[in-house]
Amino acid sequence: MEHAGPGSRHSRTPPASESADFVIVGGGVAAVTAARTLRNEGARGSILMLSEEHTYPYQRPPLTKGFMRGVLQEAQLLQIDAQQYETEGIQVQLGRRIRQVDRKRHTVIDEDGRHIGYGKLLIATGARAHRLALPGADLKGVFTLRTIADAQAIQDWLKRHPGPIVIIGTSFIAMELATSFTQMGLDVSLIDREDRVFPRIHSPGLSAYFLERCRHFGITVWLNETLQKLQGRTRVNAVATASGRKLECSTVIMATGTRPRTDFLEDSGLPIADGLLVDTFLQTPDPDIFAAGDVASYPDGQGQRQRAMHWQNARSQGHTAARNMLGQRIPYAAVLHYYCDFLDFSFTFLGTSEEADAREARGSLDEPSFAEFYLRDDRIIGLFSTNRPPEETRTIKTLIGEGNHLGPARARLGDPGDALEDLARATIVILQGGAALGAFECGVLQAMNEAGIAPHVVGGVSIGAINGAIMAGNPDRYSSAVAAFWNDVGAHAPHPVPDPVSHSLALHGTLMWGIPEFFRPRWMAPPVHDEWWPAQWTSLYELTPLKSLLEKYVDFSTLASSPIRLIISAVDVDCGEQVFFDSHIDTLTADHVLASCSLPPLFPWTTIDGRRYWDGGIISNSPLEHVLDTCGADNKQVFLVDLFPGNRPLPTNLAEVMARRDQIIYGERIRNDAGVRALTSEFKALVDEVMLAVEPDMAARLRQRPRYVRLMGRGANTTLIRIVRDGSAREPLTAAFDFSMAAIQRHRREGYQIAQRHLAQIQAGPKTD
């Protein structure tokens, strides 16, 4: 699908010396990922990246490692070849520093006073290294490290002054630099005001281990030291502390954290507090301005604000921000994932250890195959691990993201052989749209409830969104609540007479008079927005009765705390994009459910916060893919209810042709592309072969990296139980509009019986010879 650039929709974009539909300020991984994602998602508008650096966007992590040691050259750090930007229609301008954002005029202004107009703006300026305000901090030989220019300056200095190095701080970057300098044969000392190394991990045991490894490799570590000044005439020759200690050196590197690059936003009116504040969609209060990467302060799954300083986070946020710039409304809920190469091993760190009230360990650092879990209120909030299986890391990442309460299962964390996969097991129910056929879903839910199945997530579209909202609003009695809703709807529907004319009469009555508890015809309702004449109408019916019925069955104020997470879809009428509303993210109301049901031309669009929405089934009648993307595709039990049978008799008239067309459009198709799956399998097999040829120590390091864990850490299989409505070969193609009680009861019985058969097969397990 192609998307028109937003510039064509923003008449506010003023004439400027330059302009672009999408302007990206920054030149890091978030900026590049966002620009390429815009193109991959079909954006046709112009894309302009403005980077203040004079080098094409490069990878920063190797700066402290291979690049510092001279193993990697500058060209090897480039994210993509410079020519590729032109190929993808992305304009990159280097050496352009922005000093102001003028939101009123929809422009950014650079240091030379030139104005660049934007339709949508992404702030991806990252962060700058923090430089301590110490006496002597301006001496030659004192550095910070953030850019490739910084790394080159340190390299050049060390060639001329290879004497002792003092690194201020014991952070991730400090440890990686100490590792590289040690491997280069240089004399390294670490100094910190904290009482432990790696203080961010909040683990006395691990800090003690890191300290022991430093000393084993000849790195001197000074803790509990407050710096007083840097000494030297023109270049640094010593570091002096408040305790009277003097460390002689020829080089000092300040690895004392970063500060977000937000100085140019001070007069913009945008909220700033340790970064540019954005919501879960990475959007600022200005709907045309987004942020991603180290500059963005975003809400995490635990309700805390984070500013994650890691390339994997920046890459993921760049991807999400770009999709949301196109109106897709994708939440960002990734668990923080760091990795670090430290001396003779690598490690992974997930989530956070701050405010942990307990720790659990498995394995031993002496092997080394070790993990330490950080818990709060019996929920895992963080993980440190080294040389543990990537499958385990993926499972823990899911547990952190979902906030699962462990209870007695917490004792299992200490067993290195326990895969823990079942702790992240979740049940998902996917409910399609299909009007009166939604009664089939009611029967399915009855069978699930009797089998003791407690859903964790329900994803719904249209009538499936209604059933799903009632489930989430009544988690302890989801089946009976949905059944009561259908009893209300059917009791007020037209009553049939004996076949063969019953269906025709019921359908005619529905179309003519509507369903009093569900929808009513425009010709029987007061005019909306002074639309007195049919030529002014945008729909044939209106859904006011349904809103009242929903509020009868659902206390929407409780959905955020419901144990059943609700995800429903709609289509943004203005931009034509599918959007999703999520009870864990949005404050859902009855209007959000109505939006998912607003099928044109039967029903009008629903307006929420100034945006207009139609039925989500217009684009896809199932949110399965989005739900799995949001909740994780590993270790899930998915019940997918398909309301539209694949095989049906040929239609015999135009009405049946239209009905059959809709059945095919709205029918669920699980697109398992055999070719793609085979290719993916081949690539994974190739990676496995390459890893066998890699030196074991390096292979162990590579397995800790976020991308390896995500792509190669095969999680537990997801089980898909597809419950398909058979229908009758003699069933009218317009059955979706028959809300008579007889039809509803028939659909409920069929759903119940078919679901029972599936559940019995699951309970029996796979057949064996």
Side-chain angles (χ1 to χ4, degrees):
M1 178 185 295
E2 289 189 333
H3 303 275
S8 62
R9 299 196 298 269
H10 289 281
S11 58
R12 293 174 294 169
T13 304
S17 56
E18 300 174 72
S19 66
D21 296 304
F22 302 94
V23 172
I24 301 171
V25 180
V29 64
V32 174
T33 302
R36 303 190 76 191
T37 300
L38 286 170
R39 281 289 178 248
N40 292 337
E41 291 288 321
R44 292 179 298 168
S46 52
I47 301 174
L48 172 62
M49 281 178 52
L50 302 171
S51 173
E52 71 177 31
E53 293 193 58
H54 295 273
T55 303
Y56 271 93
Y58 54 88
Q59 303 175 66
R60 297 186 191 277
L63 294 181
T64 58
K65 294 169 275 195
F67 186 78
M68 184 61 67
R69 300 196 308 271
V71 175
L72 297 176
Q73 303 304 310
E74 181 176 335
Q76 295 174 280
L77 301 189
L78 294 180
Q79 293 189 45
I80 60 175
D81 186 83
Q83 182 63 36
Q84 188 65 28
Y85 294 105
E86 183 176 345
T87 301
E88 297 184 15
I90 300 168
Q91 185 182 4
V92 180
Q93 294 186 7
L94 304 177
R96 294 288 299 272
R97 183 173 182 177
I98 301 303
R99 65 174 174 83
Q100 186 180 356
V101 172
D102 187 335
R103 293 165 53 200
K104 184 177 180 180
R105 297 185 179 183
H106 251 54
T107 62
V108 296
I109 305 167
D110 70 8
E111 281 189 318
D112 297 325
R114 290 178 292 179
H115 290 238
I116 304 99
Y118 64 83
K120 296 285 187 183
L121 175 65
L122 177 65
I123 306 298
T125 45
R128 60 163 52 98
H130 176 55
R131 194 176 188 91
L132 296 177
L134 288 171
D138 57 349
L139 290 170
K140 293 179 181 180
V142 180
F143 301 92
T144 59
L145 175 58
R146 182 66 183 174
T147 68
I148 195 169
D150 295 336
Q152 290 169 333
I154 293 172
Q155 288 176 321
D156 292 342
W157 179 263
L158 291 177
K159 290 176 182 177
R160 293 178 284 117
H161 306 280
I165 302 171
V166 171
I167 300 175
I168 302 173
T170 56
S171 63
F172 283 87
I173 288 179
M175 291 300 192
E176 289 183 342
L177 282 173
T179 298
S180 292
F181 293 146
T182 299
Q183 292 170 347
M184 294 163 63
L186 299 172
D187 183 351
V188 182
S189 294
L190 293 166
I191 188 168
D192 203 321
R193 64 183 180 183
E194 301 288 344
D195 62 355
R196 65 187 66 172
V197 297
F198 267 127
R200 185 172 183 174
I201 292 181
H202 302 283
S203 173
L206 286 173
S207 291
Y209 178 77
F210 289 135
L211 181 59
E212 184 277 326
R213 299 313 297 160
C214 285
R215 290 169 175 166
H216 177 79
F217 280 87
I219 299 173
T220 303
V221 181
W222 302 98
L223 300 174
N224 294 306
E225 290 284 3
T226 300
L227 298 178
Q228 188 177 57
K229 62 181 178 180
L230 306 182
Q231 296 179 343
R233 296 187 61 183
T234 59
R235 61 184 181 90
V236 68
N237 59 36
V239 173
T241 72
S243 67
R245 195 178 303 279
K246 182 178 178 181
L247 307 179
E248 295 185 353
C249 61
S250 60
T251 305
V252 171
I253 300 177
M254 296 182 181
T256 51
T258 63
R259 299 293 183 270
R261 276 275 291 110
T262 57
D263 51 294
F264 66 101
L265 298 171
E266 290 178 357
D267 298 326
S268 68
L270 294 172
I272 299 171
D274 187 33
L276 177 56
L277 271 59
V278 294
D279 61 17
T280 191
F281 305 106
L282 305 180
Q283 187 176 42
T284 70
D286 186 319
D288 294 327
I289 301 179
F290 297 75
D294 292 7
V295 73
S297 172
Y298 66 96
D300 64 14
Q302 284 72 46
Q304 304 294 319
R305 283 208 164 265
Q306 297 282 353
R307 188 173 67 83
M309 294 160 285
H310 193 271
W311 70 270
Q312 180 64 34
N313 174 78
R315 183 175 179 273
S316 298
Q317 285 194 350
H319 178 71
T320 300
R323 296 178 67 184
N324 291 332
M325 290 169 77
L326 293 170
Q328 294 183 22
R329 207 169 179 275
I330 306 297
Y332 183 76
V335 174
L336 296 183
H337 190 161
Y338 298 90
Y339 78 93
C340 180
D341 291 321
F342 176 63
L343 297 173
D344 55 345
F345 73 104
S346 295
F347 65 87
T348 289
F349 191 83
L350 298 178
T352 180
S353 58
E354 293 185 17
E355 299 182 12
D357 57 28
R359 296 179 180 84
E360 296 285 350
R362 62 166 45 191
S364 169
L365 283 166
D366 296 328
E367 297 180 12
S369 176
F370 176 78
E372 185 168 82
F373 305 91
Y374 306 98
L375 300 99
R376 184 170 62 232
D377 299 328
D378 250 8
R379 293 175 171 86
I380 300 177
I381 62 171
L383 167 73
F384 171 93
S385 71
T386 180
N387 203 28
R388 296 296 302 167
E391 294 86 355
E392 178 178 285
T393 304
R394 282 178 62 127
T395 296
I396 300 305
K397 197 170 186 177
T398 298
L399 290 171
I400 295 173
E402 296 182 354
N404 297 35
H405 190 276
L406 296 182
R410 172 177 162 178
R412 296 169 52 188
L413 298 179
D415 181 0
D418 192 329
L420 305 175
E421 291 175 349
D422 60 301
L423 296 182
R425 188 72 164 166
T427 297
I428 295 173
V429 180
I430 302 295
L431 303 175
Q432 281 189 335
L437 303 181
F440 177 88
E441 297 171 343
C442 177
V444 172
L445 297 176
Q446 179 185 350
M448 291 176 57
N449 183 65
E450 290 178 0
I453 295 172
H456 300 89
V457 182
V458 57
V461 181
S462 198
I463 197 68
I466 295 174
N467 287 334
I470 296 172
M471 290 176 65
N474 303 271
D476 297 330
R477 57 181 195 93
Y478 67 86
S479 172
S480 60
V482 172
F485 166 84
W486 282 98
N487 286 336
D488 272 355
V489 172
H492 294 87
H495 294 284
V497 297
D499 287 335
V501 295
S502 61
H503 173 74
S504 296
L505 289 175
L507 177 62
H508 182 268
T510 298
L511 295 178
M512 187 65 191
W513 310 112
I515 306 295
E517 295 290 321
F518 201 143
F519 59 87
R520 60 186 177 184
R522 291 294 301 274
W523 51 87
M524 295 180 62
V528 179
H529 304 304
D530 295 325
E531 296 175 358
W532 294 92
W533 306 105
Q536 297 175 300
W537 294 352
T538 57
S539 68
L540 297 173
Y541 305 89
E542 56 96 17
L543 290 167
T544 302
L546 175 60
K547 184 173 183 177
S548 299
L549 190 59
L550 280 169
E551 291 173 342
K552 170 184 174 181
Y553 282 100
V554 182
D555 180 355
F556 284 91
S557 67
T558 66
L559 288 187
S561 59
S562 172
I564 300 179
R565 181 177 185 176
L566 174 64
I567 300 175
I568 57 181
S569 72
V571 173
D572 189 309
V573 179
D574 295 285
C575 68
E577 289 290 345
Q578 187 174 32
V579 298
F580 297 90
F581 302 116
D582 188 331
S583 63
H584 277 199
I585 297 170
D586 305 290
T587 302
L588 297 187
T589 66
D591 284 335
H592 291 87
V593 181
L594 294 184
S596 187
C597 301
S598 299
L599 180 65
L602 296 178
F603 307 120
W605 57 64
T606 299
T607 303
I608 302 173
D609 296 331
R611 305 296 295 180
R612 291 159 287 273
Y613 298 100
W614 272 336
D615 192 309
I618 294 174
I619 290 181
S620 173
N621 203 28
S622 166
L624 174 62
E625 181 179 350
H626 175 82
V627 169
L628 291 179
D629 283 345
T630 301
C631 301
D634 293 339
N635 206 11
K636 300 296 188 294
Q637 182 181 46
V638 181
F639 291 91
L640 189 149
V641 185
D642 192 343
L643 297 180
F644 296 95
N647 297 317
R648 299 290 290 146
L650 286 175
T652 60
N653 55 53
L654 283 177
E656 291 184 350
V657 166
M658 298 295 285
R660 182 56 179 157
R661 179 202 65 177
D662 288 347
Q663 285 183 341
I664 295 172
I665 290 174
Y666 297 129
E668 177 58 44
R669 292 174 297 279
I670 308 300
R671 298 177 177 88
N672 284 326
D673 188 327
V676 172
R677 285 188 287 114
L679 184 62
T680 301
S681 179
E682 286 294 307
F683 270 113
K684 287 187 174 181
L686 176 61
V687 172
D688 285 335
E689 291 178 14
V690 171
M691 292 293 282
L692 289 175
V694 174
E695 191 269 330
D697 179 67
M698 178 55 69
R701 292 172 182 263
L702 292 173
R703 291 190 183 99
Q704 305 300 313
R705 301 197 174 190
R707 190 173 291 176
Y708 184 95
V709 170
R710 182 169 59 87
L711 297 177
M712 297 295 294
R714 299 178 180 88
N717 291 330
T718 285
T719 304
L720 178 64
I721 301 98
R722 189 172 181 179
I723 302 174
V724 183
R725 191 182 71 87
D726 290 338
S728 168
R730 297 185 302 275
E731 178 183 76
L733 288 167
T734 52
F737 299 99
D738 184 353
F739 283 87
S740 67
M741 184 59 80
I744 287 174
Q745 290 175 344
R746 183 172 64 252
H747 296 319
R748 285 179 58 177
R749 285 194 301 270
E750 183 185 12
Y752 179 74
Q753 293 166 359
I754 292 176
Q756 274 195 320
R757 291 199 296 269
H758 280 282
L759 294 172
Q761 292 172 0
I762 294 171
Q763 188 174 17
K767 295 181 180 179
T768 57
D769 294 333

